[in-house]
Amino acid sequence: MQATQQTQAEHTTDATAGVVRIHTYSVEPEKLAEFLERRATVIGVIRSAHPGLTSTQLVRLEDGTYTDTWRWESFQAMAAAFPLAQSPEAVAAWSLVSAPPTATNAEIIDER
């Protein structure tokens, strides 16, 4: 999945609550089941190599697009996993996305 990736040098805050990477994309309904299987594989591959991935959440929005939020212990843990975004498993999963995805990094500042 190609997206702008912030480097550690650009990250200036110390998030104690963690960080998230939020992807937004579309998947054709007839490809959704296969996409979910491939997404689960990607998550497993990343977690086995980088346990700093603490949770993921896929949400379908009213317009039919999806937001896919991946929570990380720290920016450093997230950045360390970036190379796996080009793994064969990830490439296979993202090949089912129907439009170029977007990605945004965010710091969690309050959670209740």
Side-chain angles (χ1 to χ4, degrees):
M1 176 179 271
Q2 292 197 348
T4 302
Q5 296 179 350
Q6 184 180 22
T7 65
Q8 286 182 317
E10 294 170 326
H11 186 70
T12 59
T13 61
D14 179 28
T16 57
V19 296
V20 295
R21 185 163 177 91
I22 304 166
H23 305 93
T24 303
Y25 50 78
S26 298
V27 177
E28 298 298 324
E30 64 274 7
K31 295 180 181 177
L32 183 59
E34 183 177 0
F35 174 76
L36 292 173
E37 289 177 21
R38 291 182 185 188
R39 178 181 174 272
T41 299
V42 172
I43 291 167
V45 166
I46 291 174
R47 280 192 174 139
S48 68
H50 299 281
L53 176 60
T54 60
S55 66
T56 64
Q57 183 180 55
L58 182 64
V59 177
R60 183 177 21 238
L61 303 176
E62 290 177 346
D63 66 0
T65 62
Y66 295 87
T67 59
D68 196 355
T69 304
W70 295 41
R71 184 178 179 148
W72 298 86
E73 289 177 349
S74 67
F75 179 82
Q76 291 75 16
M78 180 177 68
F82 278 156
L84 289 178
Q86 299 302 317
S87 69
E89 297 86 357
V91 170
W94 309 137
S95 72
L96 297 174
V97 171
S98 59
T102 63
T104 304
N105 297 332
E107 178 182 3
I108 300 168
I109 58 169
D110 186 44
E111 185 173 48
R112 299 180 195 272

XYZ file of all heavy atoms in Angstrom:
864
model
N 0.859 -1.157 0.000
C 0.000 0.000 0.000
C 0.900 1.212 0.000
O 1.709 1.391 0.896
C -0.891 -0.045 1.232
C -1.756 1.160 1.371
S -2.805 1.048 2.825
C -4.172 0.227 2.095
N 0.789 2.070 -0.989
C 1.631 3.230 -1.034
C 0.918 4.407 -0.417
O -0.225 4.684 -0.687
C 2.012 3.559 -2.464
C 2.928 2.511 -3.049
C 3.621 3.011 -4.279
O 3.281 4.030 -4.835
N 4.614 2.272 -4.708
N 1.622 5.103 0.447
C 1.103 6.282 1.107
C 2.287 7.053 1.648
O 3.373 6.509 1.807
C 0.156 5.901 2.236
N 2.069 8.322 1.921
C 3.127 9.118 2.501
C 3.489 8.544 3.850
O 2.634 8.272 4.666
C 2.655 10.582 2.658
O 2.269 11.066 1.381
C 3.757 11.442 3.221
N 4.778 8.357 4.080
C 5.218 7.787 5.344
C 6.100 8.787 6.068
O 7.114 9.230 5.552
C 5.969 6.485 5.104
C 5.087 5.426 4.503
C 5.821 4.127 4.238
O 7.022 4.060 4.336
N 5.074 3.113 3.899
N 5.699 9.131 7.291
C 6.432 10.056 8.118
C 7.644 9.337 8.694
O 7.560 8.192 9.102
C 5.516 10.531 9.246
C 6.105 11.570 10.151
C 5.121 11.970 11.236
O 4.207 11.232 11.550
N 5.317 13.122 11.793
N 8.793 10.000 8.719
C 9.988 9.381 9.271
C 10.087 9.658 10.754
O 9.455 10.572 11.282
C 11.251 9.928 8.581
O 11.380 11.311 8.893
C 11.199 9.726 7.082
N 10.906 8.897 11.445
C 11.093 9.104 12.874
C 11.610 10.506 13.150
O 11.240 11.117 14.143
C 12.056 8.071 13.440
C 11.433 6.706 13.568
C 12.386 5.704 14.163
O 13.554 5.660 13.801
N 11.878 4.900 15.068
N 12.456 11.034 12.300
C 12.994 12.373 12.512
C 11.902 13.435 12.482
O 12.005 14.454 13.153
C 14.056 12.683 11.461
N 10.851 13.201 11.720
C 9.761 14.170 11.631
C 8.806 14.071 12.810
O 8.038 14.963 13.068
C 8.969 13.948 10.341
C 9.762 14.241 9.089
C 9.034 13.771 7.848
O 8.339 12.742 7.905
O 9.163 14.435 6.820
N 8.826 12.951 13.522
C 7.898 12.737 14.629
C 8.473 13.400 15.878
O 9.519 13.021 16.364
C 7.681 11.241 14.868
C 6.646 10.973 15.894
N 5.305 11.216 15.668
C 6.738 10.508 17.157
C 4.631 10.900 16.743
N 5.485 10.462 17.667
N 7.778 14.402 16.405
C 8.342 15.195 17.479
C 7.652 15.026 18.815
O 8.084 15.594 19.793
C 8.302 16.690 17.100
O 6.942 17.059 16.854
C 9.149 16.979 15.880
N 6.565 14.279 18.904
C 5.878 14.120 20.178
C 6.073 12.718 20.717
O 6.362 11.783 19.987
C 4.369 14.396 20.044
O 3.826 13.472 19.130
C 4.106 15.814 19.576
N 5.913 12.581 22.020
C 6.059 11.287 22.676
C 4.674 10.821 23.089
O 4.154 11.233 24.106
C 6.975 11.428 23.885
C 7.134 10.112 24.627
O 7.022 9.053 23.985
O 7.381 10.170 25.838
N 4.062 9.957 22.300
C 2.703 9.507 22.572
C 2.729 8.359 23.562
O 3.274 7.313 23.277
C 2.028 9.066 21.282
N 2.159 8.561 24.741
C 2.114 7.477 25.711
C 0.880 6.611 25.489
O 0.839 5.476 25.916
C 2.126 8.031 27.140
O 1.024 8.922 27.295
C 3.422 8.751 27.431
N -0.141 7.155 24.846
C -1.368 6.397 24.582
C -1.285 5.614 23.282
O -2.152 4.816 22.994
C -2.569 7.334 24.556
N -0.275 5.849 22.495
C -0.113 5.148 21.241
C -0.414 6.020 20.047
O -0.737 7.198 20.173
N -0.272 5.425 18.900
C -0.540 6.102 17.642
C -1.404 5.193 16.787
O -1.485 3.982 17.021
C 0.756 6.474 16.887
C 1.573 7.476 17.659
C 1.582 5.248 16.568
N -2.056 5.780 15.808
C -2.844 5.007 14.865
C -2.460 5.391 13.449
O -2.009 6.503 13.194
C -4.372 5.185 15.065
C -4.816 4.629 16.401
C -4.786 6.629 14.926
N -2.644 4.456 12.563
C -2.538 4.709 11.128
C -3.909 4.368 10.575
O -4.405 3.252 10.758
C -1.453 3.865 10.483
C -1.238 4.210 9.004
C 0.102 3.654 8.551
N 0.343 3.878 7.150
C 0.955 4.939 6.637
N 1.389 5.891 7.441
N 1.145 5.051 5.347
N -4.523 5.339 9.928
C -5.880 5.190 9.422
C -5.832 5.144 7.904
O -5.396 6.091 7.260
C -6.773 6.361 9.899
C -6.746 6.454 11.421
C -8.193 6.190 9.366
C -7.293 7.751 11.969
N -6.262 4.023 7.353
C -6.343 3.850 5.901
C -7.793 4.034 5.493
O -8.702 3.587 6.199
C -5.899 2.437 5.500
C -4.538 2.073 5.990
N -4.335 1.409 7.178
C -3.323 2.290 5.461
C -3.042 1.228 7.355
N -2.399 1.751 6.328
N -8.010 4.637 4.347
C -9.350 4.778 3.783
C -9.308 4.224 2.369
O -8.409 4.570 1.590
C -9.799 6.254 3.773
O -9.731 6.759 5.110
C -11.219 6.401 3.252
N -10.274 3.355 2.058
C -10.291 2.734 0.730
C -11.664 2.144 0.434
O -12.550 2.143 1.276
C -9.200 1.652 0.605
C -9.172 0.654 1.730
C -10.089 -0.389 1.801
C -8.214 0.745 2.730
C -10.054 -1.312 2.833
C -8.160 -0.178 3.769
C -9.082 -1.200 3.808
O -9.039 -2.116 4.828
N -11.795 1.633 -0.784
C -13.020 0.966 -1.219
C -12.695 -0.456 -1.646
O -11.608 -0.728 -2.160
C -13.633 1.696 -2.429
O -13.992 3.003 -2.090
N -13.652 -1.352 -1.414
C -13.543 -2.743 -1.858
C -14.887 -3.106 -2.467
O -15.939 -2.847 -1.866
C -13.222 -3.699 -0.685
C -13.177 -5.139 -1.165
C -11.924 -3.305 0.001
N -14.860 -3.686 -3.654
C -16.100 -4.110 -4.290
C -16.762 -5.186 -3.431
O -16.077 -6.068 -2.907
C -15.828 -4.644 -5.696
C -15.235 -3.615 -6.647
C -16.155 -2.430 -6.893
O -17.376 -2.626 -6.951
O -15.632 -1.301 -7.025
N -18.081 -5.140 -3.285
C -18.775 -6.103 -2.421
C -18.454 -7.562 -2.734
O -18.293 -8.372 -1.819
C -20.256 -5.799 -2.664
C -20.273 -4.361 -3.086
C -18.998 -4.158 -3.866
N -18.312 -7.910 -4.003
C -18.037 -9.304 -4.359
C -16.607 -9.734 -4.006
O -16.295 -10.920 -4.015
C -18.313 -9.553 -5.845
C -17.430 -8.788 -6.790
C -17.911 -7.374 -7.126
O -18.895 -6.889 -6.538
O -17.276 -6.743 -8.007
N -15.727 -8.786 -3.660
C -14.352 -9.092 -3.282
C -14.128 -8.991 -1.776
O -13.034 -9.288 -1.295
C -13.387 -8.138 -3.995
C -13.382 -8.296 -5.505
C -12.419 -7.319 -6.140
C -12.426 -7.452 -7.654
N -11.536 -6.465 -8.278
N -15.139 -8.573 -1.040
C -14.960 -8.292 0.384
C -14.530 -9.523 1.186
O -13.595 -9.440 1.998
C -16.221 -7.678 0.988
C -16.099 -7.292 2.456
C -14.979 -6.274 2.672
C -17.434 -6.765 2.961
N -15.157 -10.658 0.996
C -14.806 -11.848 1.778
C -13.337 -12.230 1.568
O -12.615 -12.508 2.534
C -15.724 -13.018 1.415
N -12.899 -12.222 0.329
C -11.498 -12.547 0.033
C -10.571 -11.492 0.621
O -9.518 -11.816 1.178
C -11.277 -12.666 -1.469
C -9.857 -13.070 -1.818
C -9.644 -13.250 -3.312
O -10.589 -13.063 -4.113
O -8.509 -13.598 -3.678
N -10.974 -10.223 0.520
C -10.166 -9.149 1.103
C -10.009 -9.342 2.608
O -8.906 -9.203 3.156
C -10.775 -7.771 0.809
C -10.046 -6.669 1.521
C -8.822 -6.218 1.063
C -10.574 -6.103 2.672
C -8.126 -5.227 1.741
C -9.897 -5.106 3.351
C -8.666 -4.666 2.877
N -11.101 -9.663 3.303
C -11.046 -9.856 4.754
C -10.097 -10.993 5.128
O -9.349 -10.889 6.114
C -12.441 -10.101 5.320
C -13.392 -8.901 5.256
C -14.790 -9.311 5.696
C -12.869 -7.734 6.076
N -10.104 -12.066 4.370
C -9.180 -13.173 4.619
C -7.733 -12.726 4.428
O -6.864 -13.023 5.260
C -9.477 -14.343 3.683
C -10.758 -15.076 4.011
C -11.057 -16.196 3.016
O -10.119 -16.671 2.329
O -12.237 -16.589 2.934
N -7.488 -12.013 3.334
C -6.120 -11.550 3.048
C -5.672 -10.514 4.081
O -4.515 -10.507 4.502
C -6.031 -10.970 1.637
C -6.173 -12.019 0.559
C -6.020 -11.408 -0.808
N -6.267 -12.377 -1.857
C -6.053 -12.143 -3.141
N -5.584 -10.962 -3.537
N -6.312 -13.068 -4.035
N -6.583 -9.635 4.492
C -6.270 -8.628 5.519
C -5.875 -9.319 6.816
O -4.909 -8.937 7.479
C -7.473 -7.710 5.725
C -7.284 -6.658 6.802
C -8.560 -5.802 6.939
N -8.460 -4.890 8.038
C -8.810 -5.167 9.308
N -9.306 -6.359 9.598
N -8.671 -4.269 10.267
N -6.611 -10.355 7.198
C -6.294 -11.104 8.419
C -4.901 -11.722 8.328
O -4.153 -11.735 9.317
C -7.351 -12.173 8.670
N -4.540 -12.218 7.162
C -3.202 -12.781 6.957
C -2.141 -11.706 7.142
O -1.127 -11.926 7.813
C -3.086 -13.426 5.567
O -4.036 -14.488 5.480
C -1.680 -13.954 5.305
N -2.367 -10.536 6.555
C -1.415 -9.425 6.689
C -1.242 -9.046 8.157
O -0.117 -8.873 8.642
C -1.867 -8.193 5.869
C -0.992 -6.979 6.170
C -1.872 -8.512 4.388
N -2.332 -8.937 8.874
C -2.265 -8.582 10.289
C -1.447 -9.619 11.055
O -0.605 -9.271 11.886
C -3.680 -8.413 10.871
C -4.338 -7.166 10.267
C -3.649 -8.323 12.401
C -5.831 -7.068 10.508
N -1.664 -10.900 10.763
C -0.899 -11.960 11.415
C 0.588 -11.876 11.120
O 1.423 -12.036 12.017
N 0.925 -11.628 9.868
C 2.335 -11.501 9.470
C 2.982 -10.333 10.205
O 4.090 -10.457 10.756
C 2.457 -11.326 7.934
C 3.845 -10.851 7.528
C 2.099 -12.615 7.225
N 2.291 -9.206 10.233
C 2.861 -8.024 10.890
C 2.983 -8.248 12.394
O 4.019 -7.944 12.991
C 2.030 -6.773 10.562
C 2.220 -6.420 9.078
C 2.432 -5.598 11.463
C 1.355 -5.300 8.572
N 1.958 -8.789 13.019
C 2.026 -9.015 14.473
C 3.118 -10.010 14.858
O 3.726 -9.877 15.917
C 0.682 -9.494 14.997
C -0.290 -8.370 15.182
C -1.498 -8.823 15.971
N -2.347 -7.673 16.258
C -3.661 -7.698 16.194
N -4.293 -8.811 15.869
N -4.351 -6.617 16.474
N 3.346 -11.009 14.025
C 4.387 -11.982 14.369
C 5.769 -11.336 14.338
O 6.649 -11.731 15.098
C 4.320 -13.199 13.458
O 4.690 -12.859 12.144
N 5.964 -10.362 13.481
C 7.259 -9.680 13.375
C 7.335 -8.418 14.235
O 8.421 -8.007 14.643
C 7.532 -9.320 11.920
N 6.180 -7.809 14.495
C 6.134 -6.524 15.204
C 4.966 -6.528 16.190
O 3.861 -6.074 15.859
C 5.980 -5.372 14.210
C 7.118 -5.281 13.243
N 8.322 -4.717 13.579
C 7.241 -5.705 11.968
C 9.142 -4.796 12.548
N 8.509 -5.397 11.558
N 5.181 -6.997 17.402
C 4.089 -7.067 18.376
C 3.569 -5.710 18.836
O 2.597 -5.653 19.579
C 4.704 -7.864 19.535
C 6.166 -7.707 19.380
C 6.427 -7.547 17.913
N 4.156 -4.631 18.372
C 3.681 -3.293 18.721
C 2.351 -2.944 18.072
O 1.747 -1.922 18.408
N 1.864 -3.774 17.150
C 0.524 -3.586 16.577
C -0.459 -4.146 17.590
O -0.577 -5.346 17.769
C 0.384 -4.302 15.237
C -0.999 -4.255 14.578
C -1.438 -2.822 14.301
C -1.004 -5.076 13.295
N -1.178 -3.248 18.282
C -2.014 -3.686 19.402
C -3.449 -3.972 19.022
O -4.106 -4.779 19.674
C -1.983 -2.654 20.540
O -2.471 -1.400 20.056
C -0.570 -2.485 21.085
N -3.962 -3.317 17.978
C -5.333 -3.603 17.550
C -5.563 -3.057 16.151
O -4.848 -2.172 15.689
C -6.364 -3.002 18.520
O -6.314 -1.593 18.487
N -6.569 -3.621 15.497
C -7.012 -3.111 14.198
C -8.530 -3.057 14.217
O -9.181 -3.820 14.934
C -6.552 -4.004 13.025
O -7.169 -5.273 13.145
C -5.038 -4.148 12.991
N -9.068 -2.141 13.438
C -10.526 -2.015 13.365
C -10.900 -1.574 11.955
O -10.447 -0.535 11.472
C -11.014 -0.981 14.376
C -12.514 -0.843 14.418
C -12.947 0.192 15.445
O -12.493 1.332 15.401
N -13.817 -0.212 16.345
N -11.740 -2.377 11.305
C -12.229 -2.059 9.969
C -13.682 -1.630 10.090
O -14.501 -2.357 10.661
C -12.110 -3.279 9.047
C -12.547 -3.078 7.603
C -11.659 -2.058 6.896
C -12.522 -4.411 6.864
N -13.991 -0.454 9.556
C -15.332 0.116 9.662
C -15.828 0.480 8.269
O -15.102 1.112 7.488
C -15.313 1.392 10.545
C -16.677 2.037 10.614
C -14.796 1.066 11.936
N -17.065 0.070 7.959
C -17.684 0.471 6.692
C -18.460 1.752 6.948
O -19.313 1.820 7.836
C -18.613 -0.609 6.148
C -19.206 -0.221 4.784
C -20.092 -1.277 4.128
N -20.637 -2.262 5.024
C -20.441 -3.585 4.906
N -19.712 -4.059 3.931
N -20.983 -4.426 5.761
N -18.181 2.775 6.152
C -18.853 4.063 6.282
C -20.148 4.083 5.478
O -20.385 3.210 4.632
C -17.920 5.183 5.817
C -16.570 5.250 6.540
C -15.702 6.337 5.931
C -16.761 5.465 8.031
N -20.967 5.056 5.726
C -22.267 5.174 5.046
C -22.139 5.197 3.532
O -23.023 4.720 2.828
C -22.988 6.446 5.505
C -23.465 6.391 6.927
C -24.121 7.698 7.376
O -23.980 8.732 6.688
O -24.785 7.671 8.414
N -21.044 5.763 3.026
C -20.876 5.857 1.570
C -20.296 4.586 0.953
O -20.054 4.522 -0.245
C -20.009 7.065 1.213
C -18.574 6.954 1.694
O -18.203 5.937 2.328
O -17.798 7.904 1.434
N -20.081 3.556 1.771
C -19.576 2.293 1.270
C -18.062 2.159 1.320
O -17.531 1.084 1.043
N -17.340 3.228 1.655
C -15.901 3.132 1.807
C -15.580 2.575 3.191
O -16.460 2.442 4.044
C -15.207 4.499 1.620
O -15.681 5.395 2.630
C -15.468 5.077 0.240
N -14.325 2.245 3.383
C -13.885 1.663 4.651
C -12.803 2.524 5.281
O -11.977 3.096 4.561
C -13.303 0.255 4.422
C -14.332 -0.712 3.934
C -14.608 -0.851 2.579
C -15.066 -1.483 4.827
C -15.573 -1.728 2.128
C -16.037 -2.369 4.382
C -16.280 -2.477 3.035
O -17.247 -3.351 2.586
N -12.813 2.601 6.604
C -11.657 3.113 7.331
C -11.086 1.930 8.097
O -11.811 1.151 8.717
C -11.981 4.263 8.305
O -12.933 3.822 9.255
C -12.496 5.481 7.572
N -9.802 1.785 8.005
C -9.086 0.666 8.600
C -8.058 1.267 9.553
O -7.053 1.822 9.123
C -8.411 -0.130 7.489
C -7.965 -1.505 7.922
O -8.084 -1.834 9.113
O -7.486 -2.252 7.040
N -8.327 1.202 10.839
C -7.485 1.836 11.845
C -6.601 0.800 12.509
O -7.091 -0.193 13.041
C -8.360 2.551 12.894
O -9.214 3.486 12.220
C -7.507 3.274 13.911
N -5.320 1.049 12.469
C -4.327 0.159 13.068
C -3.664 0.901 14.210
O -3.055 1.949 14.005
C -3.280 -0.250 12.030
C -3.821 -1.078 10.901
C -5.003 -0.911 10.234
C -3.197 -2.206 10.309
N -5.136 -1.862 9.259
C -4.042 -2.668 9.287
C -1.996 -2.862 10.530
C -3.730 -3.771 8.491
C -1.676 -3.952 9.737
C -2.542 -4.404 8.734
N -3.799 0.378 15.421
C -3.247 1.024 16.603
C -1.893 0.404 16.952
O -1.753 -0.823 16.980
C -4.198 0.863 17.779
C -3.728 1.585 19.010
C -4.725 1.431 20.124
N -4.242 2.117 21.289
C -5.020 2.692 22.178
N -6.331 2.636 22.046
N -4.500 3.290 23.215
N -0.948 1.280 17.255
C 0.425 0.877 17.565
C 0.830 1.411 18.928
O 0.367 2.470 19.349
C 1.379 1.427 16.505
C 1.100 0.896 15.141
C 0.208 1.396 14.227
C 1.678 -0.246 14.544
N 0.213 0.623 13.102
C 1.116 -0.393 13.263
C 2.643 -1.164 14.970
C 1.483 -1.428 12.409
C 3.001 -2.189 14.115
C 2.427 -2.312 12.840
N 1.723 0.690 19.597
C 2.235 1.130 20.885
C 2.962 2.464 20.777
O 2.915 3.275 21.689
C 3.213 0.100 21.461
C 2.554 -1.160 21.927
C 3.561 -2.181 22.420
O 4.789 -2.002 22.203
O 3.122 -3.174 23.010
N 3.665 2.673 19.673
C 4.452 3.891 19.491
C 4.659 4.146 18.004
O 4.458 3.254 17.169
C 5.818 3.744 20.167
O 6.587 2.761 19.493
N 5.102 5.358 17.719
C 5.435 5.680 16.332
C 6.585 4.800 15.853
O 6.591 4.324 14.715
C 5.803 7.163 16.182
C 6.172 7.509 14.776
C 5.196 7.761 13.830
C 7.493 7.512 14.370
C 5.534 8.036 12.511
C 7.840 7.785 13.058
C 6.854 8.053 12.130
N 7.552 4.542 16.734
C 8.706 3.738 16.368
C 8.277 2.310 15.998
O 8.805 1.736 15.044
C 9.732 3.722 17.507
C 10.402 5.070 17.731
C 9.525 6.108 18.440
O 8.505 5.775 19.044
N 9.914 7.369 18.349
N 7.332 1.756 16.748
C 6.839 0.406 16.435
C 6.146 0.395 15.078
O 6.321 -0.544 14.290
C 5.888 -0.073 17.531
N 5.368 1.434 14.794
C 4.677 1.519 13.511
C 5.688 1.659 12.372
O 5.612 0.950 11.367
C 3.704 2.702 13.517
C 2.947 2.875 12.219
S 1.745 4.234 12.288
C 2.842 5.651 12.383
N 6.647 2.557 12.548
C 7.634 2.792 11.496
C 8.464 1.538 11.212
O 8.797 1.262 10.051
C 8.539 3.960 11.881
N 8.759 0.765 12.244
C 9.544 -0.455 12.055
C 8.809 -1.464 11.172
O 9.442 -2.275 10.493
C 9.875 -1.076 13.411
N 7.491 -1.407 11.180
C 6.693 -2.359 10.396
C 6.425 -1.888 8.969
O 5.918 -2.673 8.161
C 5.365 -2.625 11.106
N 6.751 -0.653 8.628
C 6.465 -0.135 7.291
C 6.965 -1.033 6.156
O 6.263 -1.213 5.168
C 7.010 1.273 7.106
C 6.129 2.375 7.647
C 6.690 3.585 7.990
C 4.765 2.217 7.800
C 5.900 4.612 8.476
C 3.963 3.234 8.298
C 4.544 4.443 8.634
N 8.154 -1.622 6.244
C 8.594 -2.474 5.127
C 7.637 -3.633 4.819
O 7.538 -4.056 3.666
C 9.963 -2.986 5.590
C 10.456 -1.909 6.509
C 9.220 -1.437 7.241
N 6.911 -4.109 5.816
C 5.975 -5.210 5.568
C 4.759 -4.778 4.758
O 4.006 -5.627 4.274
C 5.544 -5.854 6.882
C 6.637 -6.661 7.573
C 6.143 -7.215 8.898
C 7.122 -7.785 6.676
N 4.584 -3.483 4.575
C 3.502 -3.004 3.710
C 3.744 -3.412 2.255
O 2.824 -3.384 1.440
C 3.364 -1.484 3.814
N 4.955 -3.814 1.950
C 5.293 -4.276 0.599
C 5.470 -5.790 0.540
O 5.943 -6.326 -0.458
C 6.571 -3.579 0.124
C 6.434 -2.068 0.038
C 5.314 -1.631 -0.876
O 5.133 -2.180 -1.961
N 4.544 -0.654 -0.460
N 5.105 -6.494 1.613
C 5.235 -7.951 1.630
C 4.276 -8.564 0.607
O 3.275 -7.947 0.222
C 4.916 -8.495 3.023
O 3.522 -8.331 3.303
N 4.547 -9.781 0.171
C 3.634 -10.431 -0.781
C 2.200 -10.528 -0.246
O 1.244 -10.355 -0.999
C 4.250 -11.814 -0.973
C 5.694 -11.652 -0.633
C 5.742 -10.589 0.436
N 2.062 -10.773 1.062
C 0.728 -10.873 1.655
C -0.008 -9.539 1.584
O -1.199 -9.492 1.262
C 0.828 -11.335 3.115
C 1.412 -12.718 3.278
C 2.943 -12.750 3.328
O 3.597 -11.699 3.177
O 3.476 -13.844 3.512
N 0.703 -8.455 1.887
C 0.072 -7.134 1.842
C -0.264 -6.735 0.408
O -1.353 -6.222 0.140
C 0.992 -6.090 2.482
N 0.646 -6.985 -0.511
C 0.387 -6.660 -1.918
C -0.849 -7.418 -2.409
O -1.699 -6.852 -3.104
C 1.634 -6.957 -2.781
C 1.315 -6.855 -4.263
C 2.765 -6.001 -2.409
N -0.977 -8.683 -2.013
C -2.147 -9.475 -2.425
C -3.432 -8.895 -1.844
O -4.450 -8.817 -2.533
C -1.979 -10.926 -1.992
N -3.404 -8.490 -0.584
C -4.608 -7.916 0.035
C -4.979 -6.597 -0.620
O -6.135 -6.391 -1.022
C -4.394 -7.717 1.536
N -4.016 -5.708 -0.751
C -4.330 -4.370 -1.278
C -4.656 -4.408 -2.765
O -5.233 -3.455 -3.287
C -3.195 -3.395 -0.984
C -2.762 -3.369 0.464
C -1.471 -3.346 0.916
C -3.581 -3.392 1.642
N -1.470 -3.360 2.293
C -2.739 -3.391 2.760
C -4.961 -3.428 1.860
C -3.212 -3.416 4.072
C -5.439 -3.460 3.170
C -4.577 -3.443 4.252
N -4.337 -5.507 -3.444
C -4.698 -5.609 -4.867
C -6.213 -5.674 -5.050
O -6.720 -5.434 -6.148
C -4.036 -6.831 -5.508
O -4.655 -8.035 -5.059
N -6.940 -6.004 -3.984
C -8.403 -6.079 -4.057
C -9.084 -4.747 -3.769
O -10.299 -4.630 -3.898
C -8.918 -7.145 -3.077
C -8.440 -8.563 -3.382
C -8.878 -9.510 -2.284
C -8.945 -9.025 -4.732
N -8.307 -3.744 -3.408
C -8.852 -2.414 -3.159
C -9.116 -1.760 -4.505
O -8.280 -1.788 -5.398
C -7.859 -1.590 -2.305
C -8.268 -0.144 -2.207
C -7.709 -2.220 -0.927
N -10.316 -1.166 -4.657
C -10.731 -0.688 -5.975
C -10.273 0.725 -6.314
O -10.355 1.129 -7.456
C -12.247 -0.780 -6.117
O -12.887 -0.019 -5.130
N -9.810 1.482 -5.367
C -9.317 2.829 -5.634
C -8.054 3.030 -4.815
O -7.873 2.377 -3.788
C -10.371 3.868 -5.255
N -7.170 3.919 -5.253
C -5.960 4.136 -4.467
C -6.311 4.517 -3.021
O -7.094 5.439 -2.782
C -5.265 5.293 -5.181
C -5.804 5.260 -6.569
C -7.219 4.750 -6.441
N -5.750 3.799 -2.061
C -6.053 4.096 -0.664
C -5.324 5.345 -0.186
O -4.333 5.763 -0.787
C -5.524 2.868 0.070
C -4.437 2.359 -0.808
C -4.860 2.669 -2.215
N -5.823 5.916 0.885
C -5.117 7.003 1.554
C -4.719 6.503 2.935
O -5.317 5.571 3.467
C -5.995 8.259 1.693
O -7.124 7.947 2.513
C -6.459 8.765 0.336
N -3.714 7.110 3.516
C -3.278 6.748 4.860
C -2.890 8.006 5.612
O -2.276 8.914 5.050
C -2.108 5.783 4.803
N -3.259 8.038 6.883
C -2.947 9.157 7.754
C -2.453 8.616 9.085
O -3.031 7.676 9.625
C -4.217 10.016 8.004
O -4.740 10.435 6.752
C -3.907 11.216 8.864
N -1.399 9.215 9.610
C -0.902 8.861 10.927
C -1.492 9.837 11.935
O -1.660 11.022 11.644
C 0.622 8.966 10.991
C 1.299 8.011 10.048
O 0.776 6.964 9.727
N 2.473 8.379 9.583
N -1.796 9.329 13.126
C -2.368 10.180 14.167
C -1.886 9.741 15.536
O -1.622 8.549 15.749
C -3.892 10.148 14.111
N -1.796 10.675 16.443
C -1.409 10.400 17.813
C -2.665 10.393 18.683
O -3.498 11.295 18.598
C -0.469 11.491 18.292
C -0.026 11.374 19.712
C 0.882 12.523 20.123
O 1.116 13.432 19.317
O 1.329 12.482 21.267
N -2.818 9.390 19.519
C -3.943 9.332 20.440
C -3.640 10.258 21.608
O -2.612 10.074 22.285
C -4.185 7.891 20.938
C -4.498 6.980 19.744
C -5.303 7.853 21.979
C -4.466 5.509 20.069
N -4.492 11.242 21.844
C -4.227 12.177 22.931
C -5.204 12.019 24.099
O -4.926 12.480 25.192
C -4.222 13.642 22.450
C -5.556 14.009 21.809
C -3.061 13.857 21.484
C -5.714 15.483 21.556
N -6.348 11.390 23.869
C -7.298 11.157 24.946
C -8.143 9.944 24.604
O -8.565 9.783 23.458
C -8.203 12.372 25.151
C -9.110 12.226 26.372
O -8.625 11.789 27.430
O -10.301 12.545 26.252
N -8.347 9.099 25.587
C -9.150 7.906 25.376
C -9.847 7.577 26.685
O -9.244 7.608 27.740
C -8.233 6.751 24.952
C -8.953 5.506 24.583
C -8.007 4.476 24.026
O -6.941 4.231 24.636
O -8.308 3.914 22.961
N -11.126 7.287 26.614
C -11.893 7.017 27.837
C -12.617 5.706 27.722
O -12.935 5.239 26.712
C -12.887 8.137 28.083
C -12.170 9.447 28.263
C -13.136 10.582 28.510
N -12.452 11.833 28.320
C -11.792 12.470 29.292
N -11.743 11.995 30.486
N -11.177 13.599 29.032
